[in-house]
Every structure is written in structure tokens, then in C-alpha cells.
């Protein structure tokens, strides 16, 4: 997913896309985003799209995907739809209980009817509002205008590519309820509903009730009938017909697919945003989801989102997931693999890596996150490994499941639904959503509905279970699982997800944090432990089994730490310092004796950075250097700054805004960096050697790039492999100049060639430090969205010789 930012030239586009093709990527989705300096849908914009298509043909891409909006949400055409007509903006019905003081006796007497009965003063008011900041996707004419302004304009210029190079168009988070974003939800005094002209008549036909009267009764606390369920049914049908069916039909008539994802599929508010989430998601030609937080811990995984996309992908035969956008940028590659496989086990066979900006101009506007899946990331050259695991995951995503154990009728208003889904997964039971109007599968073991009181009703057994534990016990007693993963203590392994398929294969996915220890587990086929297959499962990894696999004997691994000694260190580029200012915007910088003098990199984009060294402004006019792709062009480099040893001050010049991912300045040079406290740092001579542990604490605080550690070692005769602990970050190994390859995820094991065992050798370990390290964690604290899991700094934490028996 590539964000078109800046004003990219034809040459830049070709070079940029060539880099992706070099690492095996053949599909490209264009995303107009903040930081784009081309007027959206102008002739200059369309020329940039033509340049992309030309580059795609030249480099041998298979697919280009368009994006139907500028930023998001889709349906507005950068605000032009709402500007065309008032009815093309979201229409919202407000029902409010008046907060006026209690009526006086005289006022009450004036409300006496001719028959002498007192009339109650009206307590509820209704108001229809047009909210101009969001499009009305329930209005067919507004949707038609959106198609004319976007889809038709693309087809007019690039129609010859539709269905060949251009495969589809992406719709991002369309919703009927964006007004809800700044609203806490229905309360005792107010209800807000998306509205369309036919709503009240359709509600009357469906229920025999008047919508406003049901809202009045709800707010007065006398409601014998809940308006929510019929309202959501009507809203779901309208949203599906007006938006998804209309645009999908246009796309399919023009030879392309409609893909994308909904807004907020993950909890009980999904129905408010989408009417009927299952119905809406299945309205895509290629149903999709997003999981931009990268929650891989079972307690945080978006189980409801995954179940929703699985329902849609089952209807359409394909699925898409937008992943990784919030990163963070130092997330371990193993989390990428883990998330790709997690979505694949729910039928997703296309994985959209977000976000790759052409250049980093968007960091000035979208300040909360920066996770470039682009050449800016230091391990980008190894994306081919990510591509290979994605291909294998997609192959499993397309396989038919074996008998589904539990079918769940999707509950729009059951808040504990995600929790129950998590429990079933931890019990290694397979489940999937079905719509409340769908017929159940003939071979399902149970077809359940989650009741509002937390109980579980099963349509097949006609039983009601008090909680999930009782229901799981019922399944265990009555239905033996064909495959299970057990601990060595013969208990069910937690945090392992199983999916088994018609062809007899089974995938076990570990759902622990990437730095958790490897586990010894037993894969059991049927009830007999004599058929156990004993295996190691690293955190976040997958293991694939077949029902024809033979039982295996237990095995033993002996690990011997390499003797503790310094490692010579060599960097592939200069070190860098990202200043940690105090509250007044000042950094007290101590320069040690014999420290090479640095250069300054000053931001030249947007509001130019301005800093002073010891009170003197630093000028910078040379091209940016030492920064990642896309970031360097936004900076200018100064001449070398002569700094004597001792105390100096680096200060922001005036009240300049600091951006988390586009700081005002960096310092660049062959020096070591140490953080004393916020507002105080030191630089000194670059160390020639390091010990085990994070490199950020050994003088390389903000360094990104390749750090090669070298030492002479004697390889034991009995050693079968070298095992490293790198906190899950990318590492490569060479022995005596022989490259043994790169590892992106566990196990970080390299087999030892037989001819060098028992000999003294030169061991080289190259660590690739990810891009987020450039900006420093303390600087970003409280300013960025917190990652879903702990990220440990890159470094060599342990090195062991492994003997297997």
C-alpha cells in the first residue's frame, strides 16, 4: 500500500517501484494521502498514475490496485460529494429528552384536555441534522456522484488497463455512522441514528411500530419494544444495497474487483457503524479487514474482525487484510509472519502491507505513527522471505476447512462476543460466524447463539450452557478433536491456534509474543498419545502437520554459550543522534575528548527546522545524507561543526513545533551516543568493540543500518548449529567469509558446515537495526499510539552452540 506523497517525478516512480520488484513484490496499491503535493484528481495527478502504470509494465508487475479516496473515509471524494448538495452529507436523527425544569402547576393546568384529563408536557424532541464533514452513503444519488467523480474518471483515462494490469479498487472504512466518533453512545437523554427518507416508513412496515414513538418510549424508560434490532436490520440492508452493491456492480461491469474494509468491525459497536457487518463485508468482491495495530497476543487479537472477514471470504472465495500500518517501525519481522498466518487461517489470501510512502512528507500531517514497509526499512532487502511465507499462507487460506466444530450466529449487541471467541480459540476449537438468517451447516457439531446474560444456546443439542467452560466441557465429552497440541504434562497447550483442512493437513500457530521462549510440544492425532509427534514451536511461529505423519521419538538439545568476550563492531554508515530536548527545547551536549566533529541535518520541509549550537544558528544547504529513503530528501546537511571537548547547548530556535517522525535536526558523525537524561546527552569516540546486550546502550542509541560483529571462535566438534538471541530482529551469519544466510524470525539457528567443525574460525554476525530506532523511544513517549506488545532494542543478547541428539 503505497502512499503517493510529495510531487514524484516519472524517474522517481520507476526507481521506487523497481526496488519493490527487486525483492519479489508484484502488486502495488496506490494511496493518495496527506503529504501529497499533487492536486487530487487533477491532470497532474492522473499523469502520476500513468507513470505508475508505465513503471509497472516496465518492471513486470502483475497487478495495480487503485484507491477510491483521498485519505479516508471513502465516499466523499475529498469532500466534493458533501459540497454538491446538503442531502449528500450524513443525515442524523437526534432524539433528546428535554432538560427543562419541572413544569409549574399553572403550566400543568393549562395542559388539561377538553375531557378533563391532564396532558403530559412533551419530554422528547426530534431534530434532523446534516453533518457536512462526512458523506451520506445511504443516499443513492450521493453514491452515484462519488462513482462519477472517482471511478468514472479513472476508467475514462485508464480503461484499457481495467481487468488486466488494474485488478481492483480499494474502499477504505466507508460507514453510515461517523457522527458516532465524537459521541459516547446512546444514553438516558439522547439517541443519534443515521437517517434516510424512507427509514420511518420501512420501520413501520417491518415492526408495526412508529420509530419516533419507540425512541420516545426508550428515552422515557417505558419501552416494551427495543428499536435497535429492527433499526440495524434496515440500516444493514440499505447500506449494503446503496453503497456496496452499487459500487461492486460498477466494478464488476468494468472488469475489476471491489475490495477494502469496514470501519470498526472489532466489537459490539460494529453494527452501529455498518448496520449489518457480515452483510456489509460480504458486499465487497474481495471482502477485507484491517488490523493496523498488529495485535498478536490472544488477549488483544481482533477475533470478531477476523470472524467477520472469514464470513465474507467464504462467500466470495478470497479475502484481503490491511496490516501493520501503526507498526511500530521497530516491530520484529516475526510479528509480520505471525499476523499474515493468523489472517490466512481465517481465509485471507491477500496481505496489504501498510504504509509505504513515496517520501515522508506525510509525517508532518499524520504524526502519530510511522512504519514504512518500503526501502526506508533497514531489512527491506529481505522482503522476499516475507513474500515466500505469504505465498504459503495464501495457499492454506484457499483450502477448505475440515468439519467446523462450532458455528456462531453473529450477535450485534453482545459485548462479550470477542472474549468468547478468544476462549474457544484457546481451547483449540474451530469456529466461524454465520448470519442470523443463514441455514446452519449439516456437519457442524454445535450452532450457538450468545445470550445477553452470557449463557450459550446450542440449536443442535437444544441445551443452554451457563458459560464457555461448561460448553467446552460438553464438546470435550461428546466430540473428540482429530488433532490437538499438548504440553509435555499432557494438558492442552494454550496460546496455540489450530486449523485443520479437508486434505488432512493441520496448522498450529503460536500466539505468544515474539521474544517468548521456544516450547517443546506434542502434536496428537486422535486420542492415542502413542502417535504423538514431538516438536519445538518458537514464539509466533507455525508448524504444519499431515494426518499421515509418523510418531516421533523425543529428542534432546544441548546448548553451550560462546565464551564471553568482546565483539569487534563495524557500521555500514555513520552514527546518528536524535536530540532529546528538555521542556524548554534545550539539549545540554557533552563532547568527550577526541570525538570526531559532527554535521547537522536540518529539516527543510514544511516549517523548516531551526536550531542553534551554543547560541549560533546552524545553516544547512547541502543535500540530506545519512537518513533513510524518503526521509533524506526532506533535510539539508550542514558543513562539519567544530566542537571542542566540553559542554555545549543545542537548542530549538524559538517555539518551533517538533514532529515525532520529522524532528527539526539530527547530528551525524563517527561518534558514540549516550543518553544521560532528557535534555542531557553525551557524544564520544566510537567504540571498536561491544558486549552482549542492546546496541542502543553501547553508544548506538539512534543508529539504523547494518552493524557487523566479528570475533574468532573455535567451533566444537559436536556443534550442529549456531543459535542467536537478537530480540527477534533480523540477523545474518558468515563463517570464514561463507555466508550462511539471513533469518527474519525464529528459530534463529544456522547449521554448521561439517568441514569447519573443531576449527578456529572468524564468525561474523550482522544485525539490521530497524528504522524506529532513529527517533528514540523516550522522545516518542506519549506521542504515538502504543504498540500492542513490547519491542526490545536490537542487539546480540546470546550466542550458543547447539548439539542435537
Amino acid at each position: 500500500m503505497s502512499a503517493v506523497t510529495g510531487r514524484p517525478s516519472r524517474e522517481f516512480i520507476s526507481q521506487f517501484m523497481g526496488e519493490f520488484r527487486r525483492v519479489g513484490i508484484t502488486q502495488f496499491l496506490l494511496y493518495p494521502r496527506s503529504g501529497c503535493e499533487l492536486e487530487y484528481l487533477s491532470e497532474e495527478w492522473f499523469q502520476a498514475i500513468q507513470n505508475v502504470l508505465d513503471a509497472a509494465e516496465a518492471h513486470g508487475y502483475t497487478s495495480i490496485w487503485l484507491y477510491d479516496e483521498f485519505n479516508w473515509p471513502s465516499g466523499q471524494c475529498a469532500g466534493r460529494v458533501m459540497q454538491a448538495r446538503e442531502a449528500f452529507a450524513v443525515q442524523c436523527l437526534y432524539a433528546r429528552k428535554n432538560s427543562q425544569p419541572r413544569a409549574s402547576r399553572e403550566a400543568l393546568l393549562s395542559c388539561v384536555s377538553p375531557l378533563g384529563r391532564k396532558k403530559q408536557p412533551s419530554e422528547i424532541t426530534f431534530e434532523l441534522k446534516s453533518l457536512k464533514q462526512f458523506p451520506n452513503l445511504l443516499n443513492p444519488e450521493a453514491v452515484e456522484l462519488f462513482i462519477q467523480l472517482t471511478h468514472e474518471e479513472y476508467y475514462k483515462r485508464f480503461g484499457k488497463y481495467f481487468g488486466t494490469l488494474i485488478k481492483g479498487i480499494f474502499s477504505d472504512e466507508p460507514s453510515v455512522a461517523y457522527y458516532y466518533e465524537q459521541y459516547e453512545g446512546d444514553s438516558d437523554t439522547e439517541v443519534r441514528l443515521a437517517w434516510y427518507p424512507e427509514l420511518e416508513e420501512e420501520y413501520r412496515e417491518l415492526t408495526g411500530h412508529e420509530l419516533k414513538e419507540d425512541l420516545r418510549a426508550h428515552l422515557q424508560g417505558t419501552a416494551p419494544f427495543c428499536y435497535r434490532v429492527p433499526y440495524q436490520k434496515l440500516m444493514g440492508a440499505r447500506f449494503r444495497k446503496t453503497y456496496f452493491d452499487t459500487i461492486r456492480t460498477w466494478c464488476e461491469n468494468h472488469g475489476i474487483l471491489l475490495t477494502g474494509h469496514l470501519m470498526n468491525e472489532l466489537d459490539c459497536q460494529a453494527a452501529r457503524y455498518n448496520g449489518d457487518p457480515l452483510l456489509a463485508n460480504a458486499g465487497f468482491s474481495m471482502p477485507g479487514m484491517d488490523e493496523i495495530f498488529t495485535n498478536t497476543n490472544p488477549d488483544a487479537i481482533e477475533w470478531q474482525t477476523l470472524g467477520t472477514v472469514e464470513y465474507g471470504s467464504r462467500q466470495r472465495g478470497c479475502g484481503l487484510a490491511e496490516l501493520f500500518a501503526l507498526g511500530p517501525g521497530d516491530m520484529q519481522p516475526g510479528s509480520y509472519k505471525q499476523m499474515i498466518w493468523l489472517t490466512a487461517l481465517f481465509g485471507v489470501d491477500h496481505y496489504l502491507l501498510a504504509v509505504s510512502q513515496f517520501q515522508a512528507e506525510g509525517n508532518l500531517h499524520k504524526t502519530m505513527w510511522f512504519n514504512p514497509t518500503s526501502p526506508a526499512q533497514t531489512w527491506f532487502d529481505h522482503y522476499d522471505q516475507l513474500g515466500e511465507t505469504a505465498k504459503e499462507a495464501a495457499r492454506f487460506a484457499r483450502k477448505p476447512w475440515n468439519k467446523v466444530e462450532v458455528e456462531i450466529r453473529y450477535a450485534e449487541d453482545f459485548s462479550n462476543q470477542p472474549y468468547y471467541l478468544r476462549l474457544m480459540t484457546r481451547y483449540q476449537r474451530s469456529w466461524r460466524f454465520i448470519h442470523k438468517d443463514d441455514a446452519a451447516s449439516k456437519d457442524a457439531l454445535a450452532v450457538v447463539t450468545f445470550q445477553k446474560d452470557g449463557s450459550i444456546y446450542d440449536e443442535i443439542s437444544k441445551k443452554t450452557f451457563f458459560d464457555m467452560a461448561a460448553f467446552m466441557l460438553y464438546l470435550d465429552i461428546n466430540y473428540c478433536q482429530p488433532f490437538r497440541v499438548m504440553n509435555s504434562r499432557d494438558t492442552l497447550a494454550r496460546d496455540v491456534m489450530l486449523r485443520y483442512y479437508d486434505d488432512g493437513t493441520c496448522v498450529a500457530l503460536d500466539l505468544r509474543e515474539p521474544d517468548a521462549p521456544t516450547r517443546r510440544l506434542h502434536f496428537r492425532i486422535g486420542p492415542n498419545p502413542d502417535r504423538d509427534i514431538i516438536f519445538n514451536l518458537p514464539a509466533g511461529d507455525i508448524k504444519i502437520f499431515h494426518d499421515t505423519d509418523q510418531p516421533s521419538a523425543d529428542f534432546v538439545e544441548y546448548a553451550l554459550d560462546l565464551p564471553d568476550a568482546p565483539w569487534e563492531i563495524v557500521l555500514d554508515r555513520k552514527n546518528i543522534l536524535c536530540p532529546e530536548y528538555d521542556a524548554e527545547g534545550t539539549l545540554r551536549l557533552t563532547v568527550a575528548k577526541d570525538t570526531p566533529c559532527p554535521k547537522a541535518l536540518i529539516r527543510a520541509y514544511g516549517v523548516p527546522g531551526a536550531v542553534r549550537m551554543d547560541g549560533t544558528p546552524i545553516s544547512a544547504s547541502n543535500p540530506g545524507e545519512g537518513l533513510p529513503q524518503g526521509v533524506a530528501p526532506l533535510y539539508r546537511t550542514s558543513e562539519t561543526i567544530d566542537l571542542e571537548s566540553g559542554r555545549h547547548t543545542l537548542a530549538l530556535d524559538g517555539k518551533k513545533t517538533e514532529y515525532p517522525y520529522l524532528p527539526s535536526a539530527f547530528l551525524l558523525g563517527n561518534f558514540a551516543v549516550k543518553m544521560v537524561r532528557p535534555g542531557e546527552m553525551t557524544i564520544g569516540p566510537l567504540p571498536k568493540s561491544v558486549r552482549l546486550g542492546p546496541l542502543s546502550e553501547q553508544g548506538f542509541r539512534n543508529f539504523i543500518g547494518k552493524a557487523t560483529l566479528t570475533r574468532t571462535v573455535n567451533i566444537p566438534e559436536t556443534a550442529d548449529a549456531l543459535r542467536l538471541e537478537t530480540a527477534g530482529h533480523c540477523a545474518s551469519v558468515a563463517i570464514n567469509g561463507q555466508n550462511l544466510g539471513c533469518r527474519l524470525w525464529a528459530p534463529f539457528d544456522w547449521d554448521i558446515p561439517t568441514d569447519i567443525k573443531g576449527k578456529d574460525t572468524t564468525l561474523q554476525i550482522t544485525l539490521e537495526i530497524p528504522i524506529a530506532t532513529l527517533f528514540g523511544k523516550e522522545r516518542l513517549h506519549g506521542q504515538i499510539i502504543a504498540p500492542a506488545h513490547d519491542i526490545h532494542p536490537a542487539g546480540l543478547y546470546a550466542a550458543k552452540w547447539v548439539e542435537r541428539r
Side-chain angles (χ1 to χ4, degrees):
M1 187 176 194
S2 190
V4 182
T5 50
R7 192 178 295 273
S9 66
R10 181 180 179 86
E11 294 72 25
F12 174 87
I13 288 172
S14 180
Q15 179 184 5
F16 188 76
M17 294 181 65
E19 287 294 296
F20 282 91
R21 191 66 189 89
R22 177 177 60 82
V23 295
I25 291 175
T26 63
Q27 302 191 64
F28 206 74
L29 186 147
L30 292 165
Y31 168 33
R33 181 184 174 160
S34 299
C36 181
E37 297 176 355
L38 306 172
E39 181 184 348
Y40 181 54
L41 300 182
S42 67
E43 290 307 315
E44 190 178 16
W45 167 260
F46 287 122
Q47 182 58 55
I49 303 302
Q50 183 64 62
N51 293 340
V52 168
L53 295 169
D54 291 344
E57 289 188 321
H59 291 297
Y61 277 78
T62 63
S63 309
I64 295 296
W65 299 75
L66 303 174
Y67 185 93
D68 67 5
E69 193 51 81
F70 185 90
N71 283 329
W72 66 90
S74 289
Q76 56 178 310
C77 190
R80 298 178 196 179
V81 170
M82 295 89 81
Q83 294 166 6
R85 197 184 304 175
E86 183 177 0
F88 289 0
V90 162
Q91 305 294 296
C92 183
L93 177 65
Y94 287 65
R96 292 192 182 95
K97 182 186 290 187
N98 293 338
S99 58
Q100 61 191 23
R102 183 179 178 86
S104 65
R105 183 173 183 276
E106 290 75 15
L108 289 172
L109 290 175
S110 69
C111 294
V112 176
S113 71
L115 297 179
R117 293 190 299 270
K118 292 182 180 179
K119 297 184 297 183
Q120 294 297 324
S122 174
E123 296 182 6
I124 308 300
T125 60
F126 297 94
E127 182 181 9
L128 188 63
K129 283 188 176 182
S130 179
L131 306 179
K132 296 183 179 180
Q133 62 267 47
F134 300 115
N136 185 356
L137 305 186
L138 301 175
N139 186 321
E141 294 181 7
V143 174
E144 288 293 344
L145 177 60
F146 175 57
I147 292 173
Q148 292 172 20
L149 293 173
T150 54
H151 303 62
E152 292 284 2
E153 291 298 319
Y154 280 117
Y155 187 73
K156 185 188 304 181
R157 293 163 175 82
F158 311 117
K160 68 177 182 178
Y161 300 100
F162 275 47
T164 54
L165 183 58
I166 295 178
K167 294 295 195 300
I169 195 162
F170 185 95
S171 190
D172 198 350
E173 297 185 348
S175 173
V176 297
Y178 271 98
Y179 62 86
Y180 196 62
E181 285 291 274
Q182 298 178 341
Y183 175 58
E184 295 300 326
D186 294 343
S187 68
D188 293 337
T189 60
E190 181 173 296
V191 173
R192 302 184 189 186
L193 300 177
W195 183 90
Y196 57 92
E198 299 82 7
L199 173 62
E200 293 176 62
E201 181 181 351
E202 291 177 0
Y203 186 90
R204 185 185 309 115
E205 292 175 356
L206 179 64
T207 66
H209 294 239
E210 296 294 331
L211 175 60
K212 288 182 179 177
E213 289 306 310
D214 281 350
L215 291 173
R216 185 189 305 277
H218 169 77
L219 289 173
Q220 291 175 333
T222 61
F225 179 82
C226 182
Y227 71 90
R228 290 191 185 94
V229 172
Y231 167 77
Q232 288 168 352
K233 182 174 182 178
L234 293 172
M235 195 59 55
R238 177 80 174 201
F239 191 28
R240 166 69 182 262
K241 178 181 178 181
T242 303
Y243 188 80
F244 295 98
D245 289 352
T246 300
I247 298 181
R248 189 187 71 253
T249 299
W250 185 95
C251 289
E252 292 176 353
N253 288 342
H254 291 77
I256 62 174
L257 300 174
L258 172 64
T259 190
H261 57 75
L262 307 178
M263 171 64 182
N264 192 354
E265 313 103 309
L266 59 89
D267 57 27
C268 63
Q269 298 301 335
R272 174 175 284 276
Y273 284 92
N274 305 290
D276 187 324
L278 296 189
L279 193 66
N281 191 269
F284 291 107
S285 314
M286 179 185 285
M289 60 168 281
D290 74 340
E291 213 300 24
I292 53 181
F293 295 92
T294 316
N295 290 306
T296 55
N297 183 297
D299 292 334
I301 287 172
E302 296 182 19
W303 297 112
Q304 183 166 304
T305 302
L306 290 162
T308 301
V309 74
E310 191 280 329
Y311 180 86
S313 65
R314 188 166 13 108
Q315 305 289 315
R316 299 292 181 181
C318 56
L320 175 143
E322 177 188 342
L323 304 171
F324 314 125
L326 301 188
D330 56 350
M331 185 169 62
Q332 300 96 329
S335 294
Y336 285 65
K337 178 184 179 181
Q338 189 179 16
M339 182 57 71
I340 285 173
W341 273 96
L342 177 61
T343 57
L345 299 185
F346 284 90
V348 171
D349 60 352
H350 287 69
Y351 316 103
L352 188 59
L353 308 186
V355 172
S356 170
Q357 298 183 73
F358 278 14
Q359 294 190 157
E361 285 92 342
N363 291 4
L364 214 62
H365 310 278
K366 304 296 183 188
T367 59
M368 298 288 285
W369 57 84
F370 181 47
N371 183 42
T373 55
S374 74
Q377 185 57 275
T378 51
W379 53 275
F380 176 80
D381 284 350
H382 308 297
Y383 268 39
D384 56 337
Q385 294 187 42
L386 201 60
E388 288 303 313
T389 198
K391 287 179 184 177
E392 187 178 21
R395 185 167 61 85
F396 277 85
R398 300 180 189 116
K399 286 185 178 187
W401 292 8
N402 201 303
K403 179 186 294 185
V404 176
E405 295 171 307
V406 183
E407 289 192 329
I408 302 164
R409 295 205 180 275
Y410 186 98
E412 289 94 344
D413 55 356
F414 181 59
S415 61
N416 273 344
Q417 184 165 256
Y419 172 71
Y420 277 21
L421 301 177
R422 169 165 62 89
L423 288 181
M424 274 193 286
T425 305
R426 279 187 149 160
Y427 277 105
Q428 297 183 12
R429 291 288 182 177
S430 63
W431 57 268
R432 70 183 183 193
F433 281 141
I434 58 174
H435 194 271
K436 55 181 175 291
D437 297 330
D438 288 345
S441 301
K442 294 181 180 179
D443 60 352
L445 303 182
V447 179
V448 304
T449 300
F450 298 142
Q451 311 286 348
K452 287 188 176 181
D453 63 0
S455 64
I456 301 166
Y457 174 71
D458 174 31
E459 298 173 18
I460 294 180
S461 67
K462 310 298 183 185
K463 295 178 180 292
T464 298
F465 302 92
F466 180 72
D467 58 15
M468 183 59 67
F471 178 55
M472 288 296 105
L473 179 61
Y474 164 78
L475 289 180
D476 288 342
I477 293 172
N478 291 277
Y479 306 106
C480 179
Q481 293 165 281
F483 303 108
R484 286 174 291 173
V485 174
M486 314 296 292
N487 292 310
S488 58
R489 301 182 302 277
D490 210 36
T491 57
L492 198 68
R494 299 302 187 195
D495 299 339
V496 175
M497 179 179 172
L498 286 190
R499 184 76 77 228
Y500 36 96
Y501 300 89
D502 282 351
D503 64 359
T505 55
C506 179
V507 176
L509 172 65
D510 188 277
L511 296 176
R512 295 172 303 148
E513 300 292 344
D515 60 343
T518 294
R519 288 188 284 183
R520 178 71 55 83
L521 299 172
H522 293 233
F523 181 73
R524 182 162 299 169
I525 302 175
N528 190 350
D530 293 340
R531 293 194 62 191
D532 281 6
I533 299 169
I534 303 172
F535 68 104
N536 283 340
L537 186 61
D541 202 10
I542 60 120
K543 188 76 173 179
I544 299 171
F545 300 94
H546 303 81
D547 58 5
T548 57
D549 288 343
Q550 297 302 308
S552 64
D554 203 352
F555 56 93
V556 178
E557 289 186 341
Y558 299 96
L560 175 67
D561 288 336
L562 273 67
D564 186 22
W567 295 76
E568 178 188 343
I569 184 168
V570 175
L571 308 180
D572 72 334
R573 63 195 74 183
K574 292 180 180 179
N575 202 6
I576 203 161
L577 178 148
C578 184
E580 301 276 357
Y581 304 104
D582 61 18
E584 284 71 43
T586 299
L587 169 66
R588 293 174 295 281
L589 183 68
T590 301
V591 179
K593 185 179 179 182
D594 299 326
T595 301
C597 292
K599 294 180 179 180
L601 304 170
I602 308 296
R603 188 181 68 235
Y605 177 73
V607 179
V611 293
R612 294 174 177 266
M613 181 68 78
D614 297 329
T616 302
I618 299 176
S619 61
S621 57
N622 300 320
E625 61 177 272
L627 293 173
Q629 178 274 333
V631 180
L634 308 184
Y635 284 79
R636 295 292 177 265
T637 307
S638 74
E639 301 297 334
T640 300
I641 303 172
D642 292 329
L643 291 180
E644 297 180 354
S645 59
R647 297 287 291 255
H648 301 269
T649 58
L650 179 68
L652 294 171
D653 193 355
K655 295 184 178 180
K656 299 294 183 182
T657 301
E658 272 292 88
Y659 298 94
Y661 295 108
L662 278 182
S664 294
F666 297 94
L667 294 183
L668 178 72
N670 291 315
F671 49 71
V673 178
K674 181 180 178 181
M675 172 81 172
V676 179
R677 61 183 64 87
E680 187 171 347
M681 303 176 76
T682 68
I683 60 174
L686 202 64
K688 296 181 180 180
S689 64
V690 294
R691 295 272 183 176
L692 297 180
L695 292 181
S696 59
E697 296 178 7
Q698 301 185 67
F700 308 96
R701 174 178 175 73
N702 301 120
F703 175 76
I704 60 167
K706 296 180 180 179
T708 299
L709 311 184
T710 305
R711 59 181 282 195
T712 300
V713 297
N714 180 270
I715 302 178
E717 289 276 5
T718 57
D720 295 307
L722 172 69
R723 176 170 298 164
L724 303 182
E725 293 179 15
T726 67
H729 294 287
C730 176
S732 302
V733 167
I735 298 180
N736 284 347
Q738 179 182 352
N739 185 7
L740 301 187
C742 172
R743 301 285 183 271
L744 291 185
W745 41 70
F748 286 91
D749 288 1
W750 287 260
D751 291 338
I752 303 298
T754 304
D755 61 341
I756 60 174
K757 292 183 180 181
K759 298 179 180 179
D760 288 337
T761 59
T762 300
L763 174 62
Q764 288 186 325
I765 299 170
T766 300
L767 305 172
E768 303 196 25
I769 317 301
I771 189 170
T773 311
L774 175 67
F775 305 100
K777 286 186 178 290
E778 287 84 356
R779 226 178 134 268
L780 302 177
H781 181 69
Q783 299 186 57
I784 59 173
I785 294 176
H789 37 66
D790 291 335
I791 306 293
H792 299 291
L796 181 61
Y797 289 78
K800 306 172 185 287
W801 302 119
V802 177
E803 177 187 353
R804 303 188 180 109
R805 295 180 188 175

